[in-house]
Amino acid sequence: MATTISGIPLVALQVKALLKKNLLLSWRNKRASLLQLLSPFMFIFLIFAIDKAMKAKTSTSSSYKSVTEPPMEPSLPITPCEDKLFINLPCYDFVWSGHQSPKFRIIVARIMNNNPGRPIPPSKVKSFKDKSEVDAWLFSNPMRCPAALHFIERNDTVIGYGLQTNSTSLQRRGKFENPTASFQLAAEREIARYLIGDAEFSWNVFLREFAHPSTTPFSVVASIGPAFFLVIAIFNFVLQIRSLVTEKELKLRQAMTMMGLYDFAYWFSWLIWEAVVAILSSLLIVLFGMMFQFRFFLDNSFVVLFFFFFLFELSMTGLAFMISAFIRKSSSATTVGFYIFIVGFVTQLVALVGFPYKDSFSKTTRNLWSLFPPNLFSQGINVLSDAVATSEDKGVSWSKRGECALNKTDCVITIDDIYKWLAATFFLWFVLAIYFDNIIPNASGVRKSIWYFLNPNYWMGKGGQKVKEGGVCSCIGSALCQEQSTPDDDVLEEENKVKQQLTEGLVDANIAVQIRGLAKTYPGTRSIGCCFKCKRTSPYNAVKGLWVNFAKDQLFCLLGPNGAGKTTAINCLAGITPVTDGDALIYGHSIRSSSGLSNIQKLIGVCPQFDILWDALSGQEHLQLFATIKGLSPSSIKSITQTSLAEVRLTDASKVRAGSYSGGMKRRLSFAIALIGDPKLVILDEPTTGMDPIIRRHVWDIIENAKRGRAIVLTTHSMEEADILSDRIGIMAKGSLRCIGTSIRLKSRFGAGFIANISFNGNNIECSPASGDAISTEHHEAVKKLFKNHLDVVPKEENNNFLTFVIPHDREALLKNFFSELQDREKEFGISDIQLGLTTLEEVFLNIARQAELESAAAEGRLVTLTLTSGESVQIPIGARFVGIPGTESAENPTWFMVEVYWEQDDTGALCIASHSQKVPIPHGVQLSSSPSRRHRRYLGQSGTVHGVVIDPSQVSSVDFQ
Ligand SMILES: Nc1ncnc2c1ncn2[C@@H]1O[C@H](COP(=O)(O)OP(=O)(O)OP(=O)(O)O)[C@@H](O)[C@H]1O
């Protein structure tokens, strides 16, 4: 056996192997990984594009520039009305009133001709008589001109004017236009020139803005950055949840735990992995931000920014771990991510207006608000944006991370506080993730008590911490009373042997597994379904007290129909499912204690019923991972995996991903995983399902060889497999062991008897086909007659070449003489071969399953209608063999008639009536529960149906029917 490693070195190796697995899975899933890595670039580029668009829009504005010597703006012209966005076409540059006055017409003509840069054509100006006419026109022609001028002559030297404009300041091609100034300047200029009588009089008015420092530009990073950075974090968040839940959903984590994976190694490996992803992502965000020349990224310290983004992503990782404990399906990860984004986005909008990081809000509100990482993140972005708001602000440096910005008098949280909060929330969510992971039922419905962490043994890694089943809030009902089955003598003997060893404290060195009254009841659950209806399921006794020993160097085969409880029993042994009652010792370790279980995990190898594999990992990588988890020394792993792969004939496909393996190849890989690390107990749950006959025989050889030095427990539905491989067989049905023993013993005890196959050499007869047929029919009849006369049996199967007879055990004494006589007369009957053997294991299986079904039906009292060949219908309990028919008494037969009912199982295993015997009078002496004549009416059902009376089989014999 290869040397094994344990303790802290094993934990370290397990962490390393799991990290390698994560790396391989990410590498194989390149598209998602690349998208994850490039998401910072994509979103920062988007922010950059939005920033550029915003800047282009405001590029002509001097607001965002420092203006020390403001230039003089020349007189403003009257602009074409079409340029104004609000104007409806056709439009006028202006309208005016007072057109009866020649003076005013001259002034208006000059306004039009002297308009700086553009004389205004007459078609773009409309004149009216007076103000009220203009108002009437404006009213009926809305938005057709930007201004109206009204001239009044006070006296010869005074001309007044009135101006109507839309006073809204409107943006036009990036410039802000004062709608009043251009008309005011034009009117005053031309009135003045007219009054002084000099049409060329110089009239220059210049406008200058105030000298001012640049105002805070619209910060794209501060306004839309939080939402975009949240999207990057949500990207990672969804992938994290998906990876964790996939391993849970596909039972991969359970498989690793069964192989001895430490919980600590599992969580620690994921934590390291996600921390590395967060480091990369944060670095890329800051670097891309700097690359796109955002002041937010250039002026704030690189280290400050990196830690800020890193701690935020780490905190989101903690939240993702916590949420994954509640999710069962990996497909839900995207939906959850979407909801978290929506919530985060809305709370960020709220945070933009300052909530709740102001003195006016209570500290409790702030603390509660800060538990959700996007809220803290959004506030952090605000603080860092404020630190670069004006050109004078120099950003946050590492040494000043604990200080508020100078101009921020209402600052209640610094970047340093945000770091502390993000780190604290990460720990909080991570601890809660581990806690919920323990108390929420796993893929097998197993969970720990909600107070498990109060148990000192949990922290010391000792036994004693019991696991529970069912949902945390579900009510666990009491188990149903166990239905009684008639135990077989061999089963009883095995049970007594185990009980005796238990009471006497005997330790048999040859026993690998001792099962002591193992029982498993799946708890009934109560849950709220659609329309608040309470849905209940009853508790189910899947295994009802097994007492059995599995010897070393032997293979014990557990057979049984679907739902018999085989998988449940072996899951209990493997520690996947907790037992309800009883116990089992595996090489002396109890499956009921956690320290026992952790020892057992080192001793067993399990090939589960369904393949538990990563699609993206190859066969070789699977074996290497599980070998490391098992604690094999790294130096031996390579050779061990190669030998294992060669053993299951997967060497050629060792580097191919398991996702592209055929069903049979996956089974072989699962089988190889079960045998890795030389386990002392190998549990194989239907290991050869889906394998072709050649490979199956090869795997049988491996199993046969693997028996040496270990015990093997096998469940299978292949009787041939069980027959060939088993040293002992136990057949389970309805949760109980119905029979136990070697294949031969089971066949002789539970089979129908012996099978005789008689082959004829009819084809060798040298005569015409017609006469050959006649002779062979003659021989067949003669042989059939001989069997009937001597053994009282008729053929079960027959054709031209052979006859098959089933001979009951009670005729065993007659066999020797009969077959020697048959052999002597071989030539006479044209017999070419005589074969005599025990009935098949399949027949034993079917008998046991039928018997179990009968007992169960009888216990449940289910009824079925028996339609007699004479036409009468009687209701009889399912499984009843002898049935008396009420109402059939007569003068000659004062008792009733009775029939023997023959039962068979349909395709689903349910019992149905095959046929029934002829009607015979109930023999004298058979006790019926009531007198037929007097109580006949009792057996009539409400609808007139007759209920048959079951007769105790011990009072009747088949002779009564002859
Ligand atoms: N988690 C569970 N909760 C409730 N009932 C369960 C659970 N798992 C199994 N059962 C029930 O327990 C019974 C035994 O199931 P089990 O899987 O052990 O049967 P099996 O003999 O292995 O069948 P198969 O041959 O089909 O694999 C079945 O009736 C099954 O429905």
Side-chain angles (χ1 to χ4, degrees), residues 599-626:
N599 287 324
I600 289 167
Q601 278 161 0
K602 290 178 195 131
L603 292 171
I604 65 170
V606 182
C607 173
Q609 192 168 12
F610 302 103
D611 301 302
I612 300 178
L613 304 167
W614 284 270
D615 278 355
L617 296 189
S618 68
Q620 183 176 327
E621 286 155 358
H622 273 98
L623 286 171
Q624 285 174 346
L625 173 66
F626 283 110

Side-chain angles (χ1 to χ4, degrees), residues 371-383:
L371 289 177
F372 187 50
N375 296 347
L376 278 172
F377 178 71
S378 178
Q379 181 57 21
I381 294 273
N382 284 345
V383 172

Side-chain angles (χ1 to χ4, degrees), residues 313-390:
E313 295 220 9
L314 207 60
S315 184
M316 286 296 283
T317 300
L319 188 65
F321 283 2
M322 203 273 296
I323 290 176
S324 70
F326 294 89
I327 303 178
R328 282 163 188 262
K329 298 247 171 286
S330 55
S331 51
S332 314
T334 319
T335 318
V336 172
F338 180 72
Y339 279 119
I340 294 285
F341 174 72
I342 295 292
V343 174
F345 185 70
V346 172
T347 56
Q348 280 181 348
L349 287 183
V350 178
L352 271 181
V353 294
F355 180 85
Y357 299 101
K358 280 183 181 169
D359 279 334
S360 46
F361 296 99
S362 72
K363 209 170 172 191
T364 318
T365 314
R366 274 203 295 277
N367 290 350
L368 285 176
W369 185 258
S370 302
L371 289 177
F372 187 50
N375 296 347
L376 278 172
F377 178 71
S378 178
Q379 181 57 21
I381 294 273
N382 284 345
V383 172
L384 291 166
S385 301
D386 284 348
V388 292
T390 64

Side-chain angles (χ1 to χ4, degrees), residues 10 170 224 266 273 390 422 479 558 798 831 853 874 955 957:
L10 178 57
L170 288 160
I224 59 165
Y266 174 79
W273 178 255
T390 64
L422 286 173
L558 212 46
E798 64 177 298
I831 293 173
E853 218 23 76
V874 203
Q955 297 189 61
S957 86

